[in-house]
Amino acid sequence: MTISIQAANHIAELLIKRQETITIAESSIGGLLSASLLAVPGASKFYLGGSILYTLEARSRLLNIPQEKINSQKPLSESYATLLADGMRHLLGSTWAICEIGATGPGKTPYGHAAGICVFAISGPEVRTKVFKTQSSDRGKNMQLFNDEALSFFTEVLEEAKPKFSK
């Protein structure tokens, strides 16, 4: 797997220029998004932290979301991803948060979702969600594609959003 340095560098430039910060809530890509952003020199200027929220228990405990609220969510839904992104942003006080939940494969999820689906949520000055499908059951390939799409989606949102501060 490769780290998407070019996209991460662009995100870093935008965040640093705007004096904004980010936190990450990852699931199926297992840290690739955080690794991509942390590969940028000076990441401490914009990256506050992240977590791999791979299980329901981790999502509930690490983000301090009541288990009942987690259980009431539809798996791999935009509202669920938004709940997690909001939780991570509030936990660390960042300007932005990205959440990724998905099914990398090779098999279906316990909820019946086929491999190759990912749901992204961005929480911050703008809230946006996106469902991304690869139609592939290749776990490693899906992890990379989901990471690349997360970086691309966040870049798009940042470029369209009004900066928090003007210089």
Side-chain angles (χ1 to χ4, degrees):
M1 285 185 231
T2 59
I3 296 175
S4 304
I5 296 295
Q6 186 176 4
N9 279 329
H10 183 60
I11 288 169
E13 288 172 15
L14 291 171
L15 290 172
I16 291 168
K17 179 180 178 184
R18 296 158 65 139
Q19 300 176 350
E20 296 176 345
T21 56
I22 188 163
T23 54
I24 307 295
E26 298 177 71
S27 178
S28 65
I29 59 176
L32 289 177
L33 186 52
S34 288
S36 295
L37 295 170
L38 289 169
V40 176
S44 61
K45 293 176 184 166
F46 64 90
Y47 181 92
L48 296 185
S51 186
I52 301 169
L53 305 170
Y54 199 69
T55 65
L56 293 175
E57 184 175 0
R59 294 168 192 166
S60 175
R61 288 184 177 203
L62 293 173
L63 295 180
N64 200 26
I65 299 171
Q67 191 66 47
E68 306 80 49
K69 192 164 189 174
I70 294 283
N71 292 341
S72 72
Q73 295 294 313
K74 182 179 174 187
L76 291 183
S77 66
E78 293 170 275
S79 66
Y80 188 20
T82 301
L83 174 70
L84 300 176
D86 288 344
M88 184 57 80
R89 185 170 61 86
H90 292 295
L91 180 69
L92 295 179
S94 61
T95 312
W96 299 96
I98 303 173
C99 173
E100 166 278 323
I101 51 176
T104 54
K108 290 183 177 183
T109 69
Y111 314 103
H113 296 95
I117 182 171
C118 190
V119 181
F120 304 104
I122 295 172
S123 174
E126 292 193 23
V127 176
R128 299 261 301 269
T129 60
K130 181 176 189 172
V131 177
F132 178 69
K133 296 180 181 181
T134 66
Q135 308 300 324
S136 172
S137 62
D138 183 321
R139 187 176 185 86
K141 182 178 179 181
N142 281 334
M143 289 175 77
Q144 186 65 57
L145 290 171
F146 293 175
N147 184 59
D148 292 348
E149 190 63 26
L151 291 167
S152 175
F153 181 45
F154 186 52
T155 299
E156 176 186 312
V157 171
L158 270 180
E159 288 176 342
E160 292 174 2
K162 287 182 113 179
K164 186 174 88 170
F165 298 106
S166 298
K167 283 196 166 189

